[in-house]
Structure formats: C-alpha cells, structure tokens
C-alpha cells in the first residue's frame, strides 16, 4: 500500500477539516497495512518482513542527511525490492513530519 493513491483516481474537493481527517485515516491505514516492513515502536526500528535480521534504526535518523544515508543504504541492498524502498520512503515521510523536519517517533506513534 502506498500513501500517494492510485493512478487514475478522480480529483475530489475537500474542506480543510475533511482533508485533515482523510490524511489521518490514510496514514493510519498505511501503517496498519505495511507490506514490506513492520514498525516496532518499543525499539523505534522498522524491520524488513522478509529478513527478520534487517532493521532500520530510526534513533539514528535525526536529520535529512541521516535519512538520505539510510535511503541510499537500503536501496543498495541487492535483495531489497523496489516497492519496499518506496514503502520505506512513505514511512520516513510520516516519521519526519513533512516540511517541519521534526524527526521524532511521536510523529508515528500518534497514528498507531
């Protein structure tokens, strides 16, 4: 499942409140239906579902540079699926809390 919707979706118009509610529901649904990763809030790691021994430690992601390093690192894995990388990017965008550059697990935990 991706956060960006499906191609061919029609354009809908929302009030700000409706858009906020829809965004929150979309994020909750996304987090509940991760296909390639599982978030372990007690460890603050994202674990790859097909490789139980592969974790991304989000305590190490504190700024844009460290996030970029992790993106490049997981993308370089020969066994990593492209859709798993895209799902990681969607998760990281929630963890980062958009343009505010606020890196904290609370950004994820509020949706769990």
């Amino acid at each position: 499942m991706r956060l960006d919707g499906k191609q061919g979706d029609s354009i809908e118009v929302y009030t700000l409140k409706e858009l906020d509610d829809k965004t929150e529901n979309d994020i909750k649904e996304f987090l509940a239906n991760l296909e390639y990763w599982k978030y372990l809030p007690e460890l603050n790691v994202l674990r790859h579902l097909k490789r139980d021994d592969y974790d991304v430690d989000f305590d190490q992601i504190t700024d844009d540079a460290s996030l970029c390093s992790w993106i490049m690192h997981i993308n370089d894995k020969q066994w990593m699926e492209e859709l798993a990388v895209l799902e990681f990017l969607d998760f990281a965008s929630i963890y980062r809390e958009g343009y505010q550059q606020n890196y904290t697990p609370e950004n994820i935990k509020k949706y769990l």
Side-chain angles (χ1 to χ4, degrees):
M1 173 180 198
R2 296 288 320 282
L3 280 176
D4 61 354
K6 299 178 183 105
Q7 285 186 334
D9 285 349
S10 61
I11 296 175
E12 298 181 34
V13 178
Y14 298 100
T15 66
L16 286 177
K17 172 75 170 114
E18 289 171 336
L19 183 60
D20 285 344
D21 291 345
K22 181 175 180 355
T23 300
E24 282 201 23
N25 288 335
D26 287 352
I27 291 171
K28 287 177 185 176
E29 184 179 344
F30 167 76
L31 292 173
N33 294 295
L34 293 172
E35 296 177 44
Y36 297 92
W37 302 93
K38 178 177 182 165
Y39 180 62
L40 305 173
E42 65 278 3
L43 301 174
N44 198 29
V45 301
L46 199 59
R47 179 163 292 159
H48 193 275
L49 290 176
K50 294 182 181 175
R51 293 200 173 228
D52 288 343
D53 62 339
Y54 191 78
D55 292 343
V56 175
D57 184 353
F58 271 77
D59 286 336
Q60 295 179 3
I61 298 176
T62 57
D63 56 21
D64 287 346
S66 56
L67 176 59
C68 287
S69 292
W70 269 107
I71 292 167
M72 293 181 348
H73 181 76
I74 67 169
N75 192 51
D76 283 344
K77 300 291 182 195
Q78 290 184 352
W79 50 266
M80 186 65 67
E81 306 93 334
E82 181 181 345
L83 290 175
V85 175
L86 293 174
E87 190 173 83
F88 173 84
L89 291 171
D90 284 341
F91 181 90
S93 71
I94 300 167
Y95 188 88
R96 183 179 186 267
E97 196 173 39
Y99 66 91
Q100 295 180 12
Q101 299 182 10
N102 179 14
Y103 290 86
T104 172
E106 298 309 312
N107 296 335
I108 293 291
K109 291 178 183 176
K110 68 184 175 187
Y111 297 108
L112 299 177

